Amino acid sequence: MNSVITSLTASTWFGYVARILLTYIFWASGISKLVDFPAAVSEMQHFDLNPPASFAIATIFVQLAGSLLVILNRWTWLGAGALGVFTALTIPIAHTFWNMEEPLKTVEFYVVMEHITVIGGLMVAAWKAGK
């Protein structure tokens, strides 16, 4: 059984699928923002990011370029790092659970915990790519 698992996880396609799934939240969001750019700009305005169009463009770029680097396993450290920093920055900007009332406070707290977990997954991807 161990050899089957080792063979599976060592295969090229497994790595691609893992990296596609790890970055799904980013490239799906980037494509969505690209397809509906006015909504992306409105999202930036909602979080008081100025100029909103510039922040929308930067967000789309980081999400798509970072995802592509991780998926292709090229300069993975850069793509994972950019996505990790981006994810960390969304916490004090968009997920300020400490300023919220229940029940939204608890919901946003768990979103933050998920963000921290995603950052850890990106760190593992960068670490694994360096080996």
Side-chain angles (χ1 to χ4, degrees):
M1 183 66 160
N2 192 24
S3 63
V4 172
I5 293 170
T6 301
S7 177
L8 173 69
T9 58
S11 67
T12 301
W13 70 267
F14 185 89
Y16 278 108
V17 171
R19 292 187 303 273
I20 288 167
L21 294 176
L22 175 63
T23 59
Y24 172 75
I25 192 169
F26 300 108
W27 57 261
S29 176
I31 290 170
S32 174
K33 284 174 176 57
L34 198 57
V35 169
D36 191 356
F37 189 72
V41 172
S42 291
E43 183 180 7
M44 302 306 143
Q45 287 172 323
H46 173 77
F47 293 112
D48 296 322
L49 298 172
N50 290 302
S54 296
F55 274 94
I57 291 167
T59 297
I60 292 165
F61 178 78
V62 169
Q63 289 180 322
L64 296 179
S67 294
L68 190 61
L69 290 174
V70 172
I71 291 167
L72 297 177
N73 207 25
R74 301 287 183 261
W75 289 16
T76 308
W77 63 270
L78 180 60
L83 294 173
V85 169
F86 170 82
T87 303
L89 289 173
T90 66
I91 295 170
I93 294 170
H95 305 291
T96 56
F97 67 90
W98 52 90
N99 291 328
M100 299 176 181
E101 299 294 323
E102 293 295 354
L104 190 56
K105 181 177 191 166
T106 297
V107 171
E108 287 297 317
F109 172 77
Y110 285 114
V111 169
V112 168
M113 297 302 104
E114 290 172 354
H115 278 43
I116 292 168
T117 301
V118 169
I119 293 167
L122 292 164
M123 292 171 69
V124 169
W127 168 65
K128 178 70 174 160
K131 291 200 168 255

